[in-house]
Amino acid sequence: MALSIEPNIHPLFVTLAHYPLELLANSKISVYRTPDSVEHEWDPEHGLHNQENLPIWVGWANVTPNVDWRARNREWAGEVTGVHAYRIQLLHIDKNETVNRQLWGDPEMRVSFAEGMRVVINKSPADPRQNGLKLIVRNAVFDSLPWQPTLLCDFETGDTNGQN
């Protein structure tokens, strides 16, 4: 049994949980700060300027349809604005391919995920229909293991293919 007699968890329990997730994390994803392909910034001296929206996290994840009893459509002012579609579990928060590998494990390099971010599924060998799928983060949650964020994502309404 993984738990010790003391009320705390055995030190090896946390690392043992990571191995099964590695087997399931077969989709390469990118996470962007905003859903648009261009970010806009205001500079008081030069006005509005645009810059390319680069991914803040790239890596492997477990992508599963969210069809359980907790899946809900997103509503705003009584209108459905998104369809709750996917649960994305990142392989490991530190395994961010936009960061040099020597910095993996440095808490300063970790990304904070939030509502409204864009997730793009770059490569899904198990289901090629998901390649290029674009989703919006509805909820970014952690469990008791902070290395494994879960992103609950939506399609925008009117986007039945998740490509917009």
Side-chain angles (χ1 to χ4, degrees):
M1 182 157 175
L3 299 178
S4 67
I5 296 171
E6 305 269 326
N8 52 4
I9 296 175
H10 189 281
L12 294 177
F13 179 72
V14 174
T15 57
L16 290 175
H18 191 264
Y19 179 70
L21 182 64
E22 281 185 351
L23 297 174
L24 301 172
N26 64 354
S27 297
K28 184 82 168 257
I29 68 163
S30 298
V31 180
Y32 297 84
R33 196 169 306 284
T34 64
D36 300 323
S37 59
V38 175
E39 287 186 283
H40 307 283
E41 286 195 16
W42 176 259
D43 180 0
E45 294 180 17
H46 302 101
L48 185 67
H49 64 85
N50 303 331
Q51 63 185 41
E52 185 180 357
N53 187 12
L54 298 174
I56 59 171
W57 195 93
V58 175
W60 295 93
N62 179 17
V63 178
T64 55
N66 194 25
V67 292
D68 62 17
W69 64 273
R70 292 170 288 204
R72 306 275 192 280
N73 288 339
R74 184 180 64 212
E75 290 190 29
W76 181 258
E79 181 179 334
V80 175
T81 59
V83 178
H84 204 173
Y86 284 92
R87 176 182 294 118
I88 299 175
Q89 291 177 291
L90 303 185
L91 173 62
H92 198 293
I93 193 168
D94 290 337
K95 294 186 177 184
N96 181 356
E97 296 180 11
T98 66
V99 174
N100 190 324
R101 279 184 180 250
Q102 279 99 11
L103 298 174
W104 285 8
D106 181 357
E108 296 290 320
M109 303 308 295
R110 291 184 180 153
V111 173
S112 293
F113 299 99
E115 177 185 359
M117 291 182 167
R118 168 75 74 189
V119 175
V120 177
I121 300 174
N122 301 323
K123 180 180 168 185
S124 178
D127 187 0
R129 295 173 299 173
Q130 292 178 348
N131 293 341
L133 191 65
K134 295 178 182 176
L135 304 164
I136 299 291
V137 175
R138 176 194 297 201
N139 212 352
V141 294
F142 290 88
D143 60 11
S144 60
L145 304 173
W147 52 263
Q148 183 195 3
T150 298
L151 308 177
L152 302 175
C153 298
D154 297 333
F155 288 134
E156 297 296 325
T157 53
D159 183 16
T160 55
N161 295 325
Q163 301 294 322
N164 292 332

